[in-house]
Amino acid sequence: MKKEYLMLDKIEGPLIVLSGIRGVAYGEIIDITIDGQKKRSGKVVKVDKEVVIAQVFEGTSGMSTSNARVYFTGKPLEIALSEDVLGRVFDGVGRPIDGGPQIFSKEKHNVNGNPINPVSREYPRDFIQTGISAIDCLATLIRGQKLPIFSGNGLSHNELAAQIVKQANVGAKGSESFAVIFAAMGVKHDDADFFRKTFEQSGALERVVMFINLADDPVVERLSLPRCALTAAEYLAFEKDMHILVILTDMTSYCEALREISSAREEVPSRKGYPGYLYSDLAMLYERAGMIKGKNGSITLLPILTMPSDDITHPVPDLTGYITEGQVVLSRDLFQKNIYPPINVLPSLSRLMKDGIGEGFTREDHDEIANQLFSLYSRVQDVRALSQIIGEEELSELDRKYMDFGRRFEEVFLAQDFNENREIGQTLDMGWKMVDILPVEELDRLQPETIKKYLPSQKQG
């Protein structure tokens, strides 16, 4: 039942304050009319005894304490969902912004879903091919995994996200029921246009659901957007048996919005001003991804975040790393060498990779060649550090081969075109060509029989 209040106590920026109210819940949605005509909506962000503070989604311009009426709906934010959401674009609270019709369904879905119960989780095993060699070979994405991408301001994470959306598939098994939910928070207008155009031109838009919150959109929408996106993912995955890849960018924008709302609620700040519950708030989002026993669908999560000052110890990447199962780290050094995607493979890892690769998933040699590439590229860093001291011409012949391997690994294996979609077999074959630059004696992570079968210079027949 709606409760009507005719007067506001005061307006503070996007916030409105009402007093003398009981029975209001945090997160409750409000409807607002101005002069009996314009309609806006908002969300309760603080309840303190009989004082309620709410944030207006559309802003408070044109509102005053005398011309606005507020109706408390008694409900949290809910969105209508059906299979018609595929190919559509929505704002941060689930309203269509692509000029298309409203989504209609028998019942609406509460966006404040719960994390998956660990007891009911199915262990992730199936490989998802992104078409990007550095990820598919060295930090393999597994269906149902949470694998964040750690980036920095100005790096090419937007292009990487768009390429993954265009190219990702779950392979032969059930690829027809695969879809992507793309959620962008606090993005600039030109970035939003880039994503839309890229998906339209590639033909991927028909299997993509987009949720977009622009930089000049209300901050409180930024907090609702990932919840709307994950609610749509849960509906498609667990009610419609689809395999869903959710890409959230940029989680740093989300966390800064959380910090701003926390400050407005006058909460005690923690590290770098973020609220003390930042960890649990992120976990409530991330842990909604996965697979459930008895359900055919799955939710795989790729959150993208920009590390302020490229600091991996910043609270946002630090806490994200605790919750998720690995990370893909982008490198500013590689970016400055014009290498795309600039993935730094050494700090990148996928903790579920070992259980979703090999015979029956990718190829029998995947684990061995990935370990060998990691080992050789790690040695390259030592050789490069030595060459900085004595000069490359003074290096031994073997060390110069390592330098050559490092250059070719970055320029041929890691680097690929924005529209280049590599099959996993092609990626693994390229890995073998890379290790063939070095003498066989240096390939200490490979079995002799595997070398004979796959190493180009050693293949028999």
Side-chain angles (χ1 to χ4, degrees):
M1 198 126 163
K2 288 190 176 183
K3 297 166 280 186
E4 181 179 339
Y5 297 92
L6 303 182
M7 303 287 286
L8 307 178
D9 278 9
K10 56 182 174 179
I11 299 174
E12 298 177 345
L15 301 177
I16 58 174
V17 182
L18 304 98
S19 61
I21 303 169
R22 294 173 181 261
V24 174
Y26 171 73
E28 187 172 327
I29 295 299
I30 61 172
D31 291 333
I32 305 165
T33 59
I34 302 170
D35 296 325
Q37 295 178 340
K38 297 179 183 176
K39 185 175 180 182
R40 300 183 193 181
S41 55
K43 177 182 174 183
V44 174
V45 296
K46 184 177 182 180
V47 179
D48 185 5
K49 296 180 182 177
E50 295 185 359
V51 177
V52 173
I53 299 176
Q55 180 150 14
V56 184
F57 290 142
E58 297 87 351
T60 55
S61 174
M63 287 177 59
S64 72
T65 55
S66 60
N67 71 349
R69 288 186 177 186
V70 177
Y71 299 85
F72 288 82
T73 64
K75 296 179 180 179
L77 179 60
E78 296 176 322
I79 57 174
L81 292 171
S82 74
E83 290 180 273
D84 294 334
V85 296
L86 291 168
R88 300 294 304 278
V89 184
F90 302 91
D91 68 4
V93 289
R95 296 174 297 206
I97 54 173
D98 56 1
Q102 293 285 339
I103 302 295
F104 293 99
S105 63
K106 290 181 181 178
E107 60 180 27
K108 290 194 172 184
H109 297 253
N110 182 354
V111 302
N112 301 305
N114 293 317
I116 297 175
N117 189 327
V119 176
S120 64
R121 281 185 179 273
E122 188 81 49
Y123 192 83
R125 287 200 180 275
D126 293 318
F127 159 71
I128 290 182
Q129 181 173 288
T130 66
I132 296 166
S133 293
I135 295 177
D136 289 349
C137 179
L138 302 170
T140 309
L141 180 63
I142 306 301
R143 191 192 303 170
Q145 185 177 9
K146 306 177 288 290
L147 187 66
I149 296 176
F150 291 179
S151 184
N153 289 315
L155 299 188
S156 46
H157 49 271
N158 285 341
E159 291 82 356
L160 181 59
Q163 187 170 3
I164 291 173
V165 170
K166 286 194 305 174
Q167 298 177 178
N169 69 73
V170 291
K173 293 188 266 182
S175 58
E176 70 286 345
S177 62
F178 180 68
V180 178
I181 291 184
F182 183 84
M185 294 159 278
V187 296
K188 296 181 290 186
H189 286 261
D190 54 347
D191 289 336
D193 291 339
F194 163 75
F195 288 126
R196 275 203 194 99
K197 288 175 183 173
T198 302
F199 300 158
E200 285 172 0
Q201 290 168 1
S202 66
L205 189 60
E206 62 187 24
R207 65 180 177 99
V208 177
V209 186
M210 294 183 71
F211 290 85
I212 293 182
N213 169 264
L214 298 169
D216 56 355
D217 283 342
V219 170
V220 72
E221 276 191 27
R222 217 160 291 165
L223 302 184
S224 303
L225 185 142
R227 290 172 170 81
C228 292
L230 288 163
T231 302
E234 289 165 347
Y235 169 79
L236 293 172
F238 304 134
E239 293 188 31
K240 299 300 178 183
D241 296 335
M242 298 180 73
H243 298 295
I244 306 299
L245 174 63
V246 180
I247 296 179
L248 303 176
T249 181
D250 171 356
M251 287 307 294
T252 304
S253 292
Y254 170 84
C255 294
E256 287 172 352
L258 196 67
R259 178 169 61 182
E260 188 174 329
I261 297 296
S262 173
S263 176
R265 290 160 59 181
E266 298 179 350
E267 294 172 339
V268 177
S270 183
R271 289 170 60 192
K272 293 190 182 292
Y274 291 97
Y277 52 81
L278 179 62
Y279 176 87
S280 57
D281 193 279
L282 288 173
M284 287 283 287
L285 295 177
Y286 295 152
E287 294 295 349
R288 290 172 71 174
M291 301 170 69
I292 298 177
K293 293 174 183 174
K295 301 281 188 180
N296 294 325
S298 66
I299 300 175
T300 306
L301 184 62
L302 270 181
I304 298 174
L305 58 92
T306 51
M307 302 177 289
S309 304
D310 294 351
D311 179 12
I312 203 168
T313 65
H314 185 275
V316 179
D318 187 33
L319 297 178
T320 294
Y322 280 115
I323 304 164
T324 53
E325 296 131 358
Q327 69 271 336
V328 174
V329 182
L330 302 193
S331 161
R332 196 165 296 278
D333 288 341
L334 291 175
F335 178 73
Q336 289 168 346
K337 292 179 183 177
N338 290 322
I339 290 172
Y340 170 84
I343 295 174
N344 186 355
V345 299
L346 295 179
S348 300
L349 81 154
S350 168
R351 293 192 181 97
L352 301 184
M353 172 177 168
K354 63 186 185 301
D355 298 309
I357 63 171
E359 196 168 0
F361 296 105
T362 53
R363 206 169 74 183
E364 59 180 351
D365 58 312
H366 189 158
D367 190 36
E368 286 185 45
I369 189 63
N371 286 336
Q372 188 62 74
L373 287 169
F374 269 120
S375 174
L376 296 178
Y377 192 57
S378 178
R379 171 73 191 278
V380 167
Q381 310 311 310
D382 296 334
V383 175
R384 283 177 174 171
L386 179 62
S387 72
Q388 292 288 322
I389 300 169
I390 65 173
E392 190 169 343
E393 64 279 356
E394 297 298 324
L395 294 174
S396 67
E397 184 180 349
L398 178 60
D399 284 348
R400 284 199 292 272
K401 284 187 176 179
Y402 269 102
M403 292 288 282
D404 184 39
F405 166 81
R407 278 189 289 268
R408 289 187 55 75
F409 179 76
E410 291 172 354
E411 294 169 5
V412 177
F413 185 84
L414 293 185
Q416 62 187 89
D417 188 74
F418 176 67
N419 295 310
E420 185 179 358
N421 187 359
R422 295 178 183 169
E423 294 288 327
I424 184 61
Q426 180 187 0
T427 288
L428 296 176
D429 289 343
M430 288 180 69
W432 282 101
K433 289 177 182 176
M434 294 298 105
V435 301
D436 207 16
I437 294 170
L438 291 156
V440 177
E441 302 79 52
E442 295 296 308
L443 308 183
D444 54 359
R445 304 297 176 95
L446 302 173
Q447 299 292 331
E449 55 271 22
T450 316
I451 290 175
K452 286 180 181 178
K453 186 172 181 180
Y454 291 105
L455 192 67
S457 63
Q458 300 290 314
K459 277 185 180 179
Q460 295 177 337

